[in-house]
Amino acid sequence: MTSRTSPHQHLTGTSDTSGTSGTPGTSVSRRGLLRTAGGLTAALAVGALVPALTGGTAAAAPAAFTHPGMLHAHGELNRAKVRVAAGDQPWLAGWNRLTANPHSAAGWTPRPTATVVRGGTGENYGTLYNDIHAAYQNALRWKIAGTTAHGDTARDILNAWSATLTTVTGNADRFLAAGIYGYQFANAAELMRGYSGFDLDRFKRMMLNVFYPLNNQFLTGHNDACVTNYWANWDLCTMNSILAIGILCDDAAKYDQAVTYFKSGAGNGSLARAVPFVYGAQGLAQWQESGRDQGHTMMGMGQLGAFCEMAWSQGDDLYGYDDNRFMKAAQYVARYNLGQDVPFTTYTWGTGQNCAQQSHTVISAAGRGQVRPVWDVLHHHYARRRGLPVPYITAMAESVRPEGGGGDYGANSGGFDQLGFGTLLYAK
């Protein structure tokens, strides 16, 4: 582990019933909990202990990054390995979903290119996301089953791209590519850290020189548009990439850039803007894209869920930030997509370069009930780790289980927005 020079703080936020004022909430430090209660023994009891903690501001995270420490920490990987070997359900069903996916086949041949284009003329980004998901899925098969052929395949895909890719470009969609594929690429590399023949240093250079500049450009300038012009998912995928690059490269400044934006950023990826209205009496909260459509709304559950899980692996409880604001939004989205009614408050935002005002006055039914592999990680955290009642999240997770991954939800880019396989990694 590498020392960090800019430790981030676990801060206490506020929440409310109207979205405008409120009462203090609590954010829990996972590392602080384990450190206080005594290491491994405490880790086994974390689900029971966390709900009992109340009040105060948690200590800063330790000055070192944990590896593996993104979507999958050692505990999740080891549990999947043990449970699959024992033939236990639902892990085995999740494993079978993984091994049936063509992207997880050993011997997948990468097709790296120097320039990736998303948006506009000459689009070729499908090659990149297919190879990323093949690398990730093969890395999972190596981590869980120990098969060298899959480890070699994942390594070779990552090495081929880091030796070739120099540019991600296109119209404004280039920022989506840099965000979504940046954090997914980093997660695949994190799984392969230390693998024989994997050129981690060269891969880090690719992430720092190709992906991060676009991530930073978008988060600080929003493509020269009004800061609220872009939907929450644009910020969130960008934040995910910066956070993942920070972890991969042991770069505290980048990690803290992403976490600070989550807490206080001006754009729609910051928590207060992604979840603009809280209905405290109902335990629900409205998502920023709810008036747009449900496909992108559920994509938001996946993007913010990934962000919170990566931070959790490094000791930060952003899941619980601002009195569980994200949990209430996930409950809201799940409830509506299960066919039940939810409240809706008119949502107004600024668009274009001049922040021209637009409004949503009703929730959108477009894409209602769409299946995306984003729910098991949320159920695992809130219902299992924290022991909180989240009936709508639980029902959604059960309806999607066992979760697949890239290639299981359509051949276009939307089917690759999430890495997936949450049942395999997060069942408990």
Side-chain angles (χ1 to χ4, degrees):
M1 295 189 289
T2 303
S3 294
R4 299 175 57 193
T5 57
S6 170
H8 43 282
Q9 301 292 324
H10 305 271
L11 301 178
T12 297
T14 61
S15 188
D16 60 84
T17 59
S18 66
T20 57
S21 63
T23 55
T26 301
S27 184
V28 178
S29 163
R30 174 177 183 263
R31 274 192 185 149
L33 171 67
L34 301 187
R35 184 170 59 250
T36 299
L40 181 59
T41 300
L44 298 176
V46 68
L49 290 174
V50 172
L53 296 179
T54 58
T57 300
F65 284 99
T66 296
H67 299 293
M70 291 190 205
L71 286 176
H72 313 306
H74 174 75
E76 285 73 36
L77 291 165
N78 187 63
R79 181 176 59 243
K81 181 177 182 178
V82 170
R83 292 295 193 172
V84 168
D88 294 337
Q89 297 291 2
W91 297 271
L92 184 60
W95 173 254
N96 290 338
R97 196 84 196 264
L98 172 63
T99 58
N101 190 310
H103 290 76
S104 78
W108 177 280
T109 302
R111 296 183 296 162
T113 182
T115 300
V116 166
V117 181
R118 177 166 179 168
T121 303
E123 283 192 326
N124 64 351
Y125 68 104
T127 300
L128 175 60
Y129 67 66
N130 276 282
D131 279 359
I132 289 172
H133 283 255
Y136 172 75
Q137 292 180 27
N138 273 276
L140 280 183
R141 292 189 69 170
W142 170 65
K143 277 289 188 181
I144 294 170
T147 46
T148 302
H150 292 101
D152 288 351
T153 297
R155 174 200 63 199
D156 293 346
I157 295 169
L158 298 174
N159 281 346
W161 277 95
S162 68
T164 306
L165 182 64
T166 60
T167 306
V168 174
T169 189
N171 60 21
D173 284 2
R174 70 190 184 276
F175 296 114
L176 285 176
I180 296 170
Y181 311 135
Y183 97 85
Q184 292 179 349
F185 233 163
N187 268 276
E190 179 76 353
L191 290 173
M192 297 307 296
R193 182 184 291 270
Y195 192 87
S196 178
F198 174 42
D199 195 336
L200 178 59
D201 287 339
R202 188 175 70 197
F203 194 90
K204 288 179 179 178
R205 289 195 295 273
M206 177 186 71
M207 299 307 298
L208 291 168
N209 296 332
V210 178
F211 289 89
Y212 177 74
L214 283 170
N215 301 152
N216 186 58
Q217 183 183 345
F218 184 79
L219 211 59
T220 57
H222 287 88
N223 201 29
D224 298 323
C226 180
V227 71
T228 58
N229 178 73
Y230 290 94
W231 302 105
N233 276 307
W234 289 67
D235 269 6
L236 289 170
C237 70
T238 300
M239 293 156 57
N240 272 334
S241 185
I242 293 174
L243 190 77
I245 291 169
I247 295 168
L248 184 74
C249 299
D250 296 289
D251 188 326
K254 290 178 177 57
Y255 182 95
D256 288 344
Q257 178 186 8
V259 172
T260 298
Y261 197 92
F262 166 87
K263 294 177 177 178
S264 58
N268 288 324
S270 63
L271 186 62
R273 289 188 178 274
V275 187
F277 306 109
V278 177
Y279 309 102
Q282 296 158 277
L284 304 174
Q286 186 172 314
W287 185 253
Q288 190 260 347
E289 299 192 53
S290 292
R292 181 189 184 193
D293 63 65
Q294 297 308 305
H296 286 97
T297 293
M298 280 193 271
M299 179 184 175
M301 300 300 98
Q303 292 294 323
L304 189 48
F307 189 85
C308 291
E309 185 64 20
M310 289 190 289
W312 178 265
S313 293
Q314 294 301 324
D316 283 320
D317 178 19
L318 302 184
Y319 279 114
Y321 188 76
D322 199 358
D323 195 23
N324 291 311
R325 195 180 187 103
F326 176 40
M327 181 190 77
K328 294 168 187 173
Q331 282 277 88
Y332 177 99
V333 173
R335 178 183 167 98
Y336 184 70
N337 282 278
L338 287 166
Q340 300 183 46
D341 292 335
V342 293
F344 188 86
T345 301
T346 296
Y347 173 70
T348 301
W349 73 102
T351 66
Q353 291 183 309
N354 298 317
C355 292
Q357 299 290 287
Q358 292 191 27
S359 296
H360 286 149
T361 58
V362 296
I363 193 168
S364 173
R368 191 176 188 181
Q370 185 181 112
V371 174
R372 283 187 180 239
V374 304
W375 295 102
D376 254 327
V377 65
L378 303 183
H379 172 262
H380 172 60
H381 180 78
Y382 290 116
R384 306 297 299 190
R385 285 178 181 152
R386 297 293 308 276
L388 300 173
V390 285
Y392 306 118
I393 293 172
T394 297
M396 279 296 292
E398 290 172 347
S399 73
V400 175
R401 203 174 287 154
E403 290 181 351
D408 290 325
Y409 299 92
N412 63 18
S413 61
F416 293 82
D417 284 341
Q418 294 84 34
L419 289 169
F421 302 105
T423 306
L424 172 63
L425 275 306
Y426 301 114
K428 187 175 181 181

